[in-house]
Amino acid sequence: MVDTDTLSASNSAEQSWQPSILLSLVAGTLGGVVGFFILYALHPFFPRPELPEMPQYPSEELRALYRDAELNFHFQNGAFNCAILGGCMGIVFGLFTGRSSKRILSAIFGMVLGAIAGGLAGGGIGYKVATDINSSTQQTLLLSSLYHFTLWVVIGIFVFAALAVCNDLKQMGSVVISAVLAGIFASLAYNVVSSIMFPTANLSLITPESTAQRIVWMASGCLSLGLCLGLGFRKSNAAPDTVAS
């Protein structure tokens, strides 16, 4: 006679989904590499318009043109670039960490939600950065940390939620916690390293200007997402001990 408690525990173990830490880090690395080369080839996808040279005493109309150009540049490119980045992360996490029977679905769902999240966060933060530039707001490490934290948290929540929906709904409780931790790690790593390596750069820019700075930006965010996916999505309920009857 089959022990029902043992069978139940076995089925529970089979149904649990625990993404591998190693595969999560590999996926984060691959997603960052792919995203980096796409942005390297395309950025800026929306270039600044050609405007008359700013004279010593410009008219208010010309000032408005420059302000609008700055807003559109950062808003459009922030949304476009981060949508690509979020989509890349969703695809690779779905393919590398999803269940074997759900990998394609996980990749598609992750790509869609990741792209939406990246577009919304990147566009919103890019717009805020542009308004800071237009108003000559001093760029601080606090502002930069807040902007990059927000970006990676939003991408993390959407991508992790897509993976949880496709693979194990019991893991939905880990989505926000893992994404917040990823945002903290990514923001701290990027701002600490960049403030040392690029002391004169504007760290608030949602897409860094130099190639070296973009590598630090990608590595900080993508590896943090991979690490927190692997560590945060653990089996929440251990299989119950079987009792001999």
Side-chain angles (χ1 to χ4, degrees), residues 124-190:
I125 297 170
Y127 186 89
K128 183 63 174 65
V129 169
T131 58
D132 291 345
I133 294 174
N134 285 335
S135 61
S136 300
T137 300
Q138 183 180 5
Q139 301 302 306
T140 64
L141 280 178
L142 179 60
L143 270 180
S144 175
S145 298
L146 177 61
Y147 293 158
H148 291 284
F149 167 79
T150 302
L151 171 67
W152 293 111
V153 167
V154 173
I155 291 178
I157 287 177
F158 276 64
V159 171
F160 292 169
L163 296 175
V165 167
C166 292
N167 294 278
D168 188 356
L169 283 174
K170 293 180 181 179
Q171 295 283 22
M172 284 298 292
S174 302
V175 167
V176 174
I177 295 175
S178 300
V180 168
L181 289 176
I184 292 173
F185 294 156
S187 179
L188 285 176
Y190 173 69

Side-chain angles (χ1 to χ4, degrees), residues 14-222:
E14 289 177 0
Q15 293 173 1
S16 66
W17 174 64
Q18 300 183 44
S20 162
I21 296 177
L22 177 59
L23 286 180
S24 298
L25 286 172
V26 170
T29 302
L30 180 61
V33 170
V34 173
F36 171 81
F37 281 107
I38 293 176
L39 296 188
Y40 184 84
L42 297 180
H43 183 73
F45 190 78
F46 300 98
R48 285 185 174 88
E50 294 185 5
L51 297 174
E53 184 177 352
M54 182 75 78
Q56 185 175 1
Y57 302 103
S59 64
E60 184 56 36
E61 290 78 7
L62 186 57
R63 290 178 183 272
L65 285 177
Y66 269 85
R67 287 195 297 267
D68 290 343
E70 196 72 28
L71 285 173
N72 290 331
F73 178 83
H74 290 285
F75 169 74
Q76 293 174 341
N77 285 295
F80 181 78
N81 293 347
C82 294
I84 290 176
L85 182 57
C88 288
M89 299 311 296
I91 290 175
V92 294
F93 280 141
L95 290 176
F96 277 77
T97 69
R99 297 178 186 272
S100 58
S101 60
K102 300 288 184 66
R103 284 176 183 168
I104 301 301
L105 178 62
S106 299
I108 294 173
F109 200 33
M111 176 191 68
V112 173
L113 289 191
I116 292 173
L120 291 174
I125 297 170
Y127 186 89
K128 183 63 174 65
V129 169
T131 58
D132 291 345
I133 294 174
N134 285 335
S135 61
S136 300
T137 300
Q138 183 180 5
Q139 301 302 306
T140 64
L141 280 178
L142 179 60
L143 270 180
S144 175
S145 298
L146 177 61
Y147 293 158
H148 291 284
F149 167 79
T150 302
L151 171 67
W152 293 111
V153 167
V154 173
I155 291 178
I157 287 177
F158 276 64
V159 171
F160 292 169
L163 296 175
V165 167
C166 292
N167 294 278
D168 188 356
L169 283 174
K170 293 180 181 179
Q171 295 283 22
M172 284 298 292
S174 302
V175 167
V176 174
I177 295 175
S178 300
V180 168
L181 289 176
I184 292 173
F185 294 156
S187 179
L188 285 176
Y190 173 69
N191 282 280
V192 169
V193 174
S194 294
S195 62
I196 297 172
M197 295 180 61
F198 320 105
T200 61
N202 182 355
L203 302 185
S204 295
L205 294 179
I206 203 60
T207 304
E209 294 178 333
S210 71
T211 300
Q213 199 175 348
R214 287 179 198 169
I215 292 175
V216 175
W217 176 58
M218 287 283 191
S220 301
C222 297

